[in-house]
Amino acid sequence: MSGRQGGRPTLEQVAARAGVGRGTVSRVINGSPRVSEQARRAVARAVAELGYVPNQAARALAGSRTDAIALVIPEAEARLFAEPYFLDLIRGVSAELADADRQLLLTLVRSEQERQRFEQYLAAQRVDGVLLASVHGDDPLPDRIRELGIPVVMNGRRSEAEPVPYVDTDNIGAGRAAVAHLVARGRDRIATVTGPLDMYVARARLGGYMAGLAEAGRIPDNSLVSAGDFTEEGGRRAMRGLLDRRPDLDAVFVASDVMAAGARGVLREAGRRVPHDVALVGVDDSPVARLMDPPLTSVRQPIEEMGRTMARMLLREIAGTPEEPRRRVLPTELVVRDSCRAVSGS
Amino acid sequence: MSGRQGGRPTLEQVAARAGVGRGTVSRVINGSPRVSEQARRAVARAVAELGYVPNQAARALAGSRTDAIALVIPEAEARLFAEPYFLDLIRGVSAELADADRQLLLTLVRSEQERQRFEQYLAAQRVDGVLLASVHGDDPLPDRIRELGIPVVMNGRRSEAEPVPYVDTDNIGAGRAAVAHLVARGRDRIATVTGPLDMYVARARLGGYMAGLAEAGRIPDNSLVSAGDFTEEGGRRAMRGLLDRRPDLDAVFVASDVMAAGARGVLREAGRRVPHDVALVGVDDSPVARLMDPPLTSVRQPIEEMGRTMARMLLREIAGTPEEPRRRVLPTELVVRDSCRAVSGS
DNA sequence: CAACGACGTGGGAGCGCTCCCATCAGGGGG
DNA sequence: CCCCCTGATGGGAGCGCTCCCACGTCGTTG
């Protein structure tokens, strides 16, 4: 469609064609208001005719901004949450960035060594900001990045009092809702399988479980709590422990759908019917939940929305107009399925 | 650890500190052999002391390469293959790129409009090459990108005679293996639920099914073939159609695990036992397969390996030393589970 | 012993932008 | 009627690299 004669056209060429100066073209491209309507039109026309597209590298060099942001995901977690968690997150982030005409640099970090290398990237000024997923309790990276003066927003937090801006879901609310639901269905001895307790998300869900029991006037009992690790096998192990200690349990709040799948298998092997003998509630509302037999009641998190929110917050941070509050907690929602029908005959 | 006094150090500063010229530092940084050992050491020291990291934008501008590659995934597909397909692919690509010190730019394309915008990115010279996932039969994008002179490698192909370099799995082999297995288990009336037939991958799997039957001396029968669309609901529909037409079927090769999950539900509702009455084989070996009841026999594809191979090929294309052959077909593997035990009593 | 490569090396000339300053027209107020 | 302010404009000066050419400085060859 256009005159491509030895490489792509430059600003200068557009300027020449439009009969204006380089500065004016730049102003038009960047939407500055201090340009006459006439000049604007002439430039727009030249741009179209030449098929001009600004060279990103030159822009970045001259303007010291890259229009790219990095999303950092620890590879180990990506494997763990095999469920579409990260894909949903990426989808949200990507959508928001696309709308803002920003690029998404995805960084799967496999090892501590690679994380070091990541700091090099930052130093190389490849990105304007960083989105950090799945941070563990004692992770120093968020602070390090901030020290470098680079805007960061995290997915989840490391502790209750997180200094770095973040977007999290209401994990406490998730636990409470699950327990409240089980209580309402007449369950008496409600156990829980937690995530790894070095992660805040796991502690928060456990906290919600406790709070839920308290609200129902029940006294929490340690023998009804068993720690998993967010894997299916971890779910199996925890469930076996629970069954050994408390064969009388009649409901379990499992802190992830994947663990719930493991727990469900153990229950089946132990001859317990779900939901007849034992009711089950998971967290994530992942495809697994729908496919389980019976389908699993689960607490849904707005993952894609988290991604969008994170990206939006980060863009504001980069723009220098941070959005308050810088800590967001999005609501969760209980999706009721067949895994916790009311106690029969009661 | 280092003297950060107003911005990051530049090449020039490193040169000054090392007592050499700018050119020499550049040579050391880029691993040119034409540098004396002495100079090399002096530079290395200065780099370490100053904490120097080359500015990526400047490099890109001067050298006209970005060290970044784009991975383009149609958003619609990402939703479809909810299964960890893309995450696995990304993982493979990411690993290979990290080893080569390249950046991964992830582009989720939501609409035709965004695809246009993607061509702008390319024109802006943001990336050195492009990885294209999930291309449909008549997609012009791969050719367009090549016309722009940008190296491309695709995941899958658009047709048997694909001109653009690609990495695919042996979908025909997948179908054949599945059918052979069902035949070996004594199944007689083997049906298939296909993917959308405008995608080569779906046609190839169907072709494999046909070939498998032929090899077993069976005559394919159209009433045993039903088209799905890779969704669970599509699987349900196709299965219902099959059951209507051929209530006597005793096995189904379903072209994806997700559709198999749908089909399994329909079979249950119809009172057919799996594998007793009807044996089932899926494709993907996704978590769903393991979690199904009974666990689903499925054809595994080396997805992560595909990602790695694609990235490796692309890097070679970019380097100007293309790896032959430029079309790769990776083998698949049948993972046997309980969904197709041998016919009872035979 | 002169001439000539090979090797290291320094630094100029861009790469294509953005930033900003100087300039030029106008238009309104003193 | 002149001055000053505003708004629009052109273009110089970099941004921090890579590329490449020209320049020593040796060791080697005829």
Side-chain angles (χ1 to χ4, degrees), chain A residues 165-227:
Chain A
Y166 64 80
V167 179
D168 200 0
T169 47
D170 182 9
N171 288 302
I172 294 182
R176 288 172 53 202
V179 171
H181 183 250
L182 290 168
V183 167
R185 298 290 168 119
R187 303 293 169 163
D188 266 337
R189 293 164 301 281
I190 303 171
T192 186
V193 171
T194 74
L197 293 173
D198 69 313
M199 290 183 78
Y200 174 77
V201 53
R203 294 199 301 275
R205 285 174 192 172
L206 174 58
Y209 160 85
M210 298 289 191
L213 288 181
E215 281 163 27
R218 312 282 176 88
I219 299 160
D221 179 339
N222 273 336
S223 67
L224 286 170
V225 176
S226 188

Side-chain angles (χ1 to χ4, degrees), chain A residues 107-170:
Chain A
T107 314
L108 249 48
V109 190
R110 287 175 298 182
S111 61
E112 197 45 45
Q113 191 197 350
E114 281 201 359
R115 281 195 107 173
Q116 306 265 336
R117 207 150 45 156
F118 176 68
E119 289 190 50
Q120 301 270 307
Y121 292 154
L122 296 183
Q125 304 178 47
R126 279 177 179 270
V127 295
D128 295 338
V130 179
L131 255 21
L132 240 34
S134 213
V135 278
H136 279 253
D138 55 349
D139 195 336
L141 189 58
D143 308 295
R144 299 268 281 283
I145 300 176
R146 292 200 102 191
E147 280 163 25
L148 254 46
I150 297 174
V152 196
V153 172
M154 301 191 313
N155 169 30
R157 49 187 144 169
R158 294 167 295 177
S159 68
E160 188 61 45
E162 173 63 62
V164 177
Y166 64 80
V167 179
D168 200 0
T169 47
D170 182 9

Side-chain angles (χ1 to χ4, degrees), chain A residues 322-341:
Chain A
E323 203 169 282
E324 298 293 347
R326 295 163 91 173
R327 296 154 199 199
R328 300 289 184 81
V329 178
L330 304 184
T332 57
E333 173 196 359
L334 189 73
V335 178
V336 178
R337 297 203 181 82
D338 291 346
S339 67
C340 42
R341 235 174 282 147

